Amino acid sequence: MRNHRDNIKNEIAYFNKVVQNLNNKELAKNIKISEFEELSNEIEEIYYKSDEYFNGDNLLDWIELIENAVLHRALKSLSIEEQTLISYIFYKDKTQSEVAKIYNMSQPAIFQKLNNIINKIKLFMFKK
């Protein structure tokens, strides 16, 4: 009988060695797949948590993402009602008419409130 790989003379022993190597490779592959699946599940969980975070239940949370420190402080200095109104306009892209329906007010009243808020922000940001 001639020599085979790894100096195995017995064909059955050689066959068993090949099967064992294939099983080891398959096991390593399955471990990598399970690690990938775990990582994918973690990423998916983070994604859904972030989706819940910005799904509209937390209308004011976008303010925390503002990187300009002065603008962030200016918006945080507003009342909750003012922050909510400005969130509808600038974050949720609602028109003044849509916001007027939400607040059960006229569009000119929303326009006036919005101008007052913008003026407060300007005063806060540009005061010396």
Side-chain angles (χ1 to χ4, degrees):
M1 193 173 275
R2 59 181 231 250
N3 287 340
H4 293 282
R5 189 172 160 189
D6 296 331
N7 294 325
I8 297 174
K9 295 180 183 181
N10 185 338
E11 289 182 18
I12 294 175
Y14 177 74
F15 176 77
N16 288 335
K17 182 76 169 178
V18 169
V19 169
Q20 181 183 2
N21 286 339
L22 288 174
N23 286 340
N24 288 343
K25 288 179 183 177
E26 187 69 24
L27 179 63
K29 179 180 161 187
N30 288 338
I31 289 171
K32 286 183 181 180
I33 289 171
S34 65
E35 288 173 352
F36 175 76
E37 288 174 346
E38 286 177 26
L39 181 62
S40 294
N41 290 338
E42 288 177 31
I43 291 171
E44 191 172 325
E45 186 177 328
I46 291 168
Y47 172 77
Y48 285 118
K49 283 183 180 176
S50 67
D51 193 37
E52 289 173 9
Y53 187 76
F54 291 108
N55 70 356
D57 293 339
N58 302 305
L59 183 62
L60 304 179
D61 289 337
W62 69 275
I63 295 171
E64 298 304 322
L65 301 175
I66 296 174
E67 293 179 0
N68 182 318
V70 178
L71 178 59
H72 181 264
R73 283 194 307 272
L75 288 172
K76 292 301 274 185
S77 72
L78 298 172
S79 71
I80 297 297
E81 292 79 19
E82 293 169 328
Q83 289 178 21
T84 303
L85 184 112
I86 206 162
S87 294
Y88 279 125
I89 299 289
F90 293 106
Y91 178 65
K92 290 292 187 178
D93 292 326
K94 301 256 184 220
T95 64
Q96 292 179 15
S97 297
E98 292 171 329
V99 174
K101 288 178 185 175
I102 293 170
Y103 281 87
N104 199 23
M105 301 173 85
S106 66
Q107 181 273 327
I110 295 296
F111 174 80
Q112 188 60 45
K113 284 183 172 282
L114 186 59
N115 275 343
N116 290 341
I117 293 169
I118 291 170
N119 286 334
K120 281 184 180 181
I121 293 170
K122 285 179 183 177
L123 285 172
F124 187 92
M125 290 185 69
F126 300 109
K127 68 180 177 183
K128 293 184 180 184

